Amino acid sequence: MSKRIDVSDLNVYYGDFRAVEDVSITIEAKSVTAFIGPSGCGKSTFLRTLNRMHEVIPGARVEGKVLLDGDNLYGDGVDPVTVRSQIGMVFQRPNPFPTMSIRDNVLAGVKLNSRRISKSDADSLVEKSLQGANLWNEVKDRLDKPGSGLSGGQQQRLCIARAIAVSPDVILMDEPCSALDPISTLAIEDLINELKDEYTVVIVTHNMQQAARVSDKTAFFNIAGTGKPGKLIEYADTATIFNNPGEKSTEDYVSGRFG
């Protein structure tokens, strides 16, 4: 069950430093939304606020609202762990648990959420999640081998399988291809296109072509200078952002004149 996200007037602070200023955005269900912009403009920070992942950094806090189908993720008594099971995250570097088997990697999130699961249910969940990450055929004969024995691209798909095993509504990806070769990158991009049939997908990328290829909508973030907060400059259909942006700075960025 994919869900939409409505963010209003979001400010993100690390201690006294305001990292992201006044972002309001609606991220549609069952679509791919890309965040682009120069380094240090708050894209990844903002992405992490969508599942409260930024809270692992001491002194981090937000003002404003993040609604998942109308429920405020920052409401009183909302458990961040529950939020993270609804909104999964895939990081820049593939991070399977190195000592765990491929099978146990897929089930790690499920076990973390202390869901009891029978062996036959676990087997079918592992197969379904690996199928969903387009990895099943490559690993089905070595599920008990360590996840760290896979190639980088396979490890990243394993991390995606781990994210989808807990049946999230949303999958966040923070530059999921930046550590991968072109063929693995293509495999992940194909996968992102398939995932939006079931999930709301949000991806941070520095690769313009990738944003243009995989996303339905694109949000351009920018920063006025070092030490200034990141801001959302423009948000529109991806074709509009790349072919006919409304802001000069968006045009300069996507055409490669700065950034």
Side-chain angles (χ1 to χ4, degrees):
M1 201 11 224
S2 154
K3 295 184 175 176
R4 77 178 222 177
I5 300 175
D6 292 287
V7 179
S8 48
D9 308 324
L10 194 81
N11 290 279
V12 188
Y13 294 88
Y14 294 115
D16 294 332
F17 174 63
R18 178 151 61 170
V20 175
E21 182 174 21
D22 208 19
V23 173
S24 296
I25 191 171
T26 292
I27 294 166
E28 300 296 344
K30 291 196 177 180
S31 68
V32 179
T33 302
F35 294 171
I36 63 169
S39 294
C41 69
K43 314 179 288 294
S44 293
T45 295
F46 176 60
L47 185 78
R48 285 160 176 263
T49 65
L50 299 179
N51 74 343
R52 300 184 56 169
M53 204 66 216
H54 68 293
E55 290 177 14
V56 299
I57 297 173
R61 62 188 170 86
V62 308
E63 292 166 356
K65 276 189 182 155
V66 179
L67 305 180
L68 183 65
D69 265 10
D71 294 328
N72 187 5
L73 301 182
Y74 288 90
D76 291 341
V78 175
D79 179 6
V81 176
T82 309
V83 171
R84 288 169 205 153
S85 67
Q86 293 173 291
I87 303 180
M89 185 104 177
V90 176
F91 296 94
Q92 189 168 2
R93 301 225 162 249
N95 59 346
F97 299 110
T99 57
M100 276 188 197
S101 68
I102 291 169
R103 182 179 190 278
D104 287 342
N105 259 289
V106 176
L107 295 170
V110 178
K111 292 186 169 160
L112 188 70
N113 295 326
S114 61
R115 291 213 330 245
R116 291 215 167 281
I117 185 167
S118 70
K119 175 154 185 347
S120 64
D121 284 351
D123 288 345
S124 61
L125 180 61
V126 166
E127 180 171 350
K128 179 171 167 264
S129 303
L130 289 167
Q131 294 265 23
N134 290 346
L135 189 58
W136 174 250
N137 290 336
E138 293 163 55
V139 302
K140 62 177 189 268
D141 301 324
R142 46 174 173 157
L143 294 175
D144 296 325
K145 299 277 193 293
S148 54
L150 298 173
S151 73
Q154 289 173 324
Q155 287 187 25
Q156 193 62 297
R157 280 180 285 148
L158 178 59
C159 294
I160 292 170
R162 184 173 72 196
I164 60 185
V166 297
S167 309
D169 302 307
V170 181
I171 299 175
L172 310 176
M173 299 187 174
D174 193 357
E175 293 192 58
C177 304
S178 65
L180 305 180
D181 63 84
I183 290 173
S184 301
T185 296
L186 205 59
I188 301 282
E189 289 182 5
D190 287 343
L191 177 54
I192 290 169
N193 265 325
E194 289 170 30
L195 289 173
K196 75 172 177 186
D197 293 339
E198 278 188 62
Y199 308 96
T200 304
V201 181
V202 188
I203 172 172
V204 167
T205 180
H206 274 286
N207 181 330
M208 297 292 131
Q209 289 78 22
Q210 182 169 76
R213 281 192 299 261
V214 304
S215 67
D216 302 293
K217 289 197 151 186
T218 296
F220 170 61
F221 289 79
N222 202 3
I223 188 165
T226 312
K228 296 276 198 295
K231 287 184 173 182
L232 173 61
I233 305 298
E234 189 169 359
Y235 177 49
D237 289 343
T238 295
T240 303
I241 291 288
F242 282 94
N243 301 324
N244 192 18
E247 298 289 331
K248 176 84 169 66
S249 58
T250 312
E251 188 181 350
D252 287 347
Y253 184 75
V254 299
S255 65
R257 279 198 279 276
F258 85 95

